[in-house]
Amino acid sequence: MKKSDPSWSDVDDYIVRHLIGDDLVLDACLTANARAGLPEIDVSPTQGRMLELLARGVGANHILEIGTLGGYSAIWLARALPDDGRLVSLELEPQYAAVARSNIDSAGLADKVDIIVGEATGSLAALEANKIARFDFVFVDADKENYATYLDHAIRLSRPGAMLVFDNVVREGGVIDPASSDPKVPGTRELYSALHNHPRVDATAIQTVGSKKWDGFLLGIVRDD
Ligand code: SAH
Ligand code: DHB
Ligand code: MG
């Protein structure tokens, strides 16, 4: 098998037809993103649905996302929230955030989602300083170079029992390839190293294939202090 196999996408299509179905809101989001020239690095439909189910599974009322892009994963996550729930999503690029804002408004989720524009490390420090909510669910999907830093912030901002999910932790096997030239790999390895025997987080990672090629999610649960 090659590092990317077209049949992975075909199976994703089958899964979407049976378990997810057509979704005009999410189709419109991806169309708007393409029109605005955003990179096509959103999570896939099956992955977005998984995020929604995980967030519902932990009964999330407050969700934090790091890396909004055009709001595709944010729409999935916001759908997991109860009426009084909130998603805070952090995005560096003002132009991406504006596209996401528009997509989230069109999805009817405007009241549930706050997008904070700027370097996530600064936004996270501000959230901590303002003692904004303890999050129940954190999805990390921004610059991989800072994943270990985002882990520390996520723990400080989370309640015990919160679920943490990091995207792109396999990168077509690059994570274990000593010759990998992928600049996003070292930061990913720092995340694994930080979580090795971590005192506060129980974790695993699950490899995935599909329309977004071979990659994976790292899942963790924050324990009591
Ligand atoms: N979660 C999105 C995809 C995010 S792509 C989805 O699945 O739909 C990664 C995003 O992280 C990009 O939009 C990028 O601009 C943003 N990003 C990169 N570095 C960042 C930083 N330092 N702070 C905040 N956002 C950052
Ligand atoms: C990239 C980033 C992502 O979050 C992703 O899911 C896929 C690719 C990237 O920057 O290459
Ligand atoms: Mg990603």
Side-chain angles (χ1 to χ4, degrees), residues 6-143:
S7 66
W8 297 344
S9 277
D10 295 341
V11 175
D12 257 12
D13 291 345
Y14 176 89
I15 295 169
V16 169
R17 275 201 309 281
H18 285 80
L19 304 181
I20 301 181
D22 292 333
D23 195 314
L24 297 178
V25 166
L26 288 166
D27 289 349
C29 173
L30 294 180
T31 302
N33 291 357
R35 197 167 291 150
L38 269 52
E40 291 181 28
I41 53 174
D42 346 70
V43 295
S44 70
T46 58
Q47 294 171 346
R49 177 73 164 157
M50 181 194 76
L51 292 173
E52 182 200 344
L53 295 177
L54 290 173
R56 271 166 55 197
V58 300
N61 241 293
H62 291 92
I63 302 177
L64 173 64
E65 175 178 67
I66 309 178
T68 321
L69 189 63
Y72 183 83
S73 55
I75 291 172
W76 278 111
L77 288 167
R79 287 174 172 176
L81 291 167
D83 285 346
D84 61 347
R86 302 290 284 188
L87 166 68
V88 177
S89 187
L90 312 182
E91 173 54 49
L92 175 64
E93 299 289 342
Q95 187 228 341
Y96 297 178
V99 175
R101 184 77 265 158
S102 159
N103 287 331
I104 288 161
D105 293 353
S106 302
L109 295 163
D111 294 346
K112 287 188 171 160
V113 183
D114 293 318
I115 300 174
I116 304 177
V117 180
E119 283 278 359
T121 44
S123 304
L124 290 161
L127 288 172
E128 283 171 36
N130 296 333
K131 300 220 169 17
I132 300 286
R134 313 211 67 200
F135 292 98
D136 311 293
F137 189 98
V138 183
F139 177 49
V140 184
D141 192 19
D143 48 325

